[in-house]
Amino acid sequence: MRNLLIAGLLAGGIAGMVPLLNAGATQSAAVPVSKDTQDCLFCHEDLHPGIVSAWRESRHARITPGEAIQVKGLGLKVSSTEIPEQFLNVAVGCAECHTQRSEAHSGTFDHGGYDVHTAVSPKDCATCHAQEADQFSRNLMAHARGNLVNNPLYMDLARTIEGRVARAEQKLEFTPADPLTQAESCLHCHGTELEVVGSEERDTFHGGMEFPVVTGWPNQGVGRVNTDGSLGTCGACHNRHQFSIEMARQPYTCKKCHVGPDVPAYKVYSASRHGNMFSTHGKEWDFKKVPWTVGEDFTAPTCASCHVSLLADASGNEIAPRTHQMTDRLPWRIFGLIYAHPHPISPDTSIIRNADGLPLPTNLDGTFAGDFLINASTMAERAENMQKVCRSCHGSAWVNNFWERFENTIMTTNAATLEASRIMLDIWDKGYAVNHLAGGSPFDEAMERRWSDVWLFYANNIRFASSMAGGGDYGVFADGRYHIAQAIMELNDWFARQKAMDALGNTGQPASKPSLQKAK
């Protein structure tokens, strides 16, 4: 089969060179393509023209690693100090990504005489981008799947959201979602596990061929478990097969998973002054330059400029280094689980246990699980990293006062969540709802879900509005302070009515149930 492909390639007269257009390199007008990648292109140019076209537009197709590694200073994009010799002087093509490290992938299969794996992993990308792969492996995003599926409380919440609901004798029963539903709901962003479960024969241009059957595929979730055991996918932000820096810097890319209402980053950004400037002037910005020069290449931040990108001033001085460990500029974890809290020390949050033995970074009274969270010194260092980015456009007084309001918002939203949690604890203690320590779930009854609204939606929305937009309507009436106050009122009124009914003898004796605290 391999000889057939090569013969067809030569007969077809396909050149082993890729035109070098706008690549930022001047060494040659075209980039050589390896013989192995030429074999891939011979078939896939016709079978998958969209994929091949995206690759031809990529930097991978337009400059060799050997040329890229010669770049000096902040413009260097290749972080590996040693690159295998066979990759140095050819474009990074199909074979360079899909056939290397084939022995490490359980999904490797014979394809036209080549050992191919479908899902390229961060460890494959580490051949040229070692630093980025290492940083990403220490990132919460890389562990997003495990942090969800290995936490029984989070999975219980997921069961009541995406699972199948049925009514029996006036009681609702939730069963866990099937794998296909999970793959297109929570695990769409958190990541599936790619597992080879067999093989199948398909008709192809060259007749019947065997392909692996991989469950969990397709998926571009940030915490995907790959067939080589690695976590995550670079394609979550740098969409395959173009792997564009420009795309990763656009807020639309982050919008895929951060649109809300639980993590309302994009909708808040789009309504902010920064988002307004992007909408108006973004078409004039240069999203490809490395380093990214503030005031020249762009004039207002996107998600990437605050959290990831290598930023420089007009004199070429570094403002913030490139990082793929997203917490490097984040002291606070602001989406409430159940309260905002300092970021975890380990990206594997499933190991966290609060004082009550629950897999939560805080206790139900709002105090932190301190042994598992970063200390004040690390928080201050990360806050300074972020504020350096802010000060590239704003004066110190502006930044300091903005940050003071933001941290005040963390305190006030945590305080509101505490009041809601105290009411919920009273509801559980009186037996009006049944939590998981009493054989039920803390999420499958109406008032429990109303309590969840407080911290899962409303407190989050207020904090994101404070951190990104500086406040305004998204922090008040658009699932903000108005709604958090209303939810607390409803919880309190419902509890008061239940107690009044008890006093009148309308409900009988409430059962004694343990609260969502450590069982005595």
Side-chain angles (χ1 to χ4, degrees):
M1 177 65 72
R2 183 173 179 177
N3 289 335
L4 174 64
L5 290 176
I6 294 174
L9 177 63
L10 295 175
I14 296 177
M17 305 288 282
V18 175
L20 182 64
L21 303 174
N22 303 319
T26 59
Q27 289 86 339
S28 62
V31 175
V33 176
S34 70
K35 179 173 63 64
D36 293 345
T37 287
Q38 290 178 44
D39 286 356
C40 300
L41 293 173
F42 174 65
C43 287
H44 290 278
E45 186 96 61
D46 291 328
L47 292 173
H48 303 113
I51 288 176
V52 174
S53 175
W55 172 75
R56 288 191 183 280
E57 291 295 319
S58 73
R59 185 171 179 84
H60 286 163
R62 300 180 176 198
I63 185 170
T64 68
E67 293 169 339
I69 204 169
Q70 300 301 317
V71 175
K72 304 299 182 183
L74 297 180
L76 179 65
K77 303 175 185 66
V78 175
S79 60
S80 297
T81 56
E82 295 184 5
I83 296 175
E85 185 176 354
Q86 68 269 27
F87 294 153
L88 282 174
N89 298 314
V90 294
V92 179
C94 320
E96 284 68 38
C97 295
H98 287 277
T99 67
Q100 69 157 314
R101 302 181 60 254
S102 58
E103 73 287 349
H105 288 266
S106 63
T108 296
F109 62 106
D110 178 76
H111 186 60
Y114 291 95
D115 292 331
V116 172
H117 55 275
T118 300
V120 175
S121 77
K123 285 190 175 180
D124 296 326
C125 300
T127 300
C128 294
H129 303 286
Q131 185 180 62
E132 290 77 11
D134 176 65
Q135 289 173 339
F136 187 80
S137 73
R138 293 184 274 111
N139 181 22
L140 281 169
M141 289 184 175
H143 292 262
R145 173 186 165 83
N147 290 343
L148 174 64
V149 302
N150 295 327
N151 189 310
L153 277 179
Y154 298 170
M155 289 304 291
D156 192 30
L157 176 60
R159 176 182 63 89
T160 67
I161 295 172
E162 63 185 13
R164 182 171 298 179
V165 59
R167 185 170 181 262
E169 298 180 355
Q170 298 184 343
K171 181 175 177 59
L172 299 180
E173 297 289 344
F174 294 87
T175 55
D178 60 83
L180 295 181
T181 299
Q182 290 178 334
E184 69 175 16
S185 49
C186 296
L187 298 185
H188 176 81
C189 288
H190 282 260
T192 57
E193 180 175 7
L194 306 186
E195 184 178 3
V196 180
V197 295
S199 63
E200 64 181 7
E201 183 173 305
R202 303 179 201 158
D203 288 332
T204 75
F205 179 75
H206 295 288
M209 299 182 73
E210 287 287 322
F211 293 87
V213 176
V214 182
T215 60
W217 181 259
N219 181 261
Q220 295 296 320
V222 291
R224 188 182 75 194
V225 180
N226 299 298
T227 52
D228 64 354
S230 65
L231 302 181
T233 169
C234 305
C237 300
H238 300 275
N239 198 56
R240 60 190 195 122
H241 288 81
Q242 193 165 346
F243 295 102
S244 164
I245 292 175
E246 180 178 12
M247 175 174 284
R249 287 172 169 175
Q250 297 274 353
Y252 311 120
T253 297
C254 304
K255 177 186 178 182
K256 292 187 305 179
C257 292
H258 295 289
V259 68
D262 58 324
V263 187
Y266 179 80
K267 73 171 187 177
V268 170
Y269 173 80
S270 64
S272 72
R273 180 57 59 88
H274 292 158
N276 182 244
M277 293 173 70
F278 165 77
S279 298
T280 305
H281 299 293
K283 60 184 177 294
E284 304 161 8
W285 299 350
D286 187 343
F287 286 91
K288 297 180 181 179
K289 290 281 292 297
V290 176
W292 214 12
T293 301
V294 179
E296 291 184 5
D297 300 328
F298 68 103
T299 55
T302 66
C303 316
S305 59
C306 290
H307 297 288
V308 184
S309 296
L310 167 59
L311 304 182
D313 62 23
S315 299
N317 301 309
E318 183 180 87
I319 296 172
R322 177 170 56 243
T323 179
H324 284 65
Q325 186 172 343
M326 307 302 178
T327 56
D328 282 352
R329 306 174 195 174
L330 293 175
W332 290 100
R333 197 178 184 205
I334 64 174
F335 54 90
L337 298 171
I338 296 167
Y339 301 88
H341 54 274
H343 262 281
I345 296 172
S346 169
D348 179 3
T349 64
S350 68
I351 66 175
I352 294 176
R353 292 296 181 272
N354 67 12
D356 297 327
L358 298 173
L360 294 172
T362 65
N363 302 304
L364 263 291
D365 64 4
T367 54
F368 302 143
D371 291 343
F372 297 91
L373 308 179
I374 61 174
N375 58 29
S377 175
T378 302
M379 292 183 73
E381 179 182 343
R382 293 185 180 183
E384 174 60 18
N385 290 341
M386 177 62 82
Q387 289 173 23
K388 284 180 183 177
V389 177
C390 302
R391 288 196 295 267
S392 64
C393 291
H394 298 286
S396 294
W398 178 294
V399 174
N400 294 341
N401 292 341
F402 188 100
W403 199 266
E404 181 183 13
R405 292 178 188 173
F406 166 58
E407 293 201 326
N408 180 69
T409 296
I410 291 175
M411 301 304 114
T412 57
T413 52
N414 277 355
T417 300
L418 176 59
E419 288 306 315
S421 298
R422 285 170 174 165
I423 299 169
M424 196 68 239
L425 286 168
D426 286 343
I427 291 172
W428 283 320
D429 284 338
K430 296 292 285 185
Y432 301 147
V434 181
N435 63 44
H436 73 293
L437 292 180
S441 165
F443 307 117
D444 65 353
E445 300 183 56
M447 285 301 104
E448 293 171 335
R449 185 57 63 84
R450 200 70 184 114
W451 167 67
S452 300
D453 289 343
V454 168
W455 48 267
L456 188 59
F457 300 139
Y458 308 145
N460 286 358
N461 213 73
I462 297 167
R463 288 191 282 262
F464 274 93
S466 178
S467 66
M468 297 169 60
D473 209 29
Y474 269 111
V476 183
F477 293 110
D479 287 342
R481 290 175 172 85
Y482 180 92
H483 296 274
I484 202 172
Q486 180 179 352
I488 294 172
M489 292 176 193
E490 292 176 10
L491 281 167
N492 193 57
D493 288 352
W494 188 89
F495 179 55
R497 284 196 301 272
Q498 296 301 311
K499 290 206 308 181
M501 292 171 67
D502 270 355
L504 294 173
N506 290 344
T507 62
Q509 287 294 322
S512 176
K513 303 291 184 182
S515 66
L516 188 59
Q517 299 180 29
K518 186 176 181 180
K520 302 297 184 183

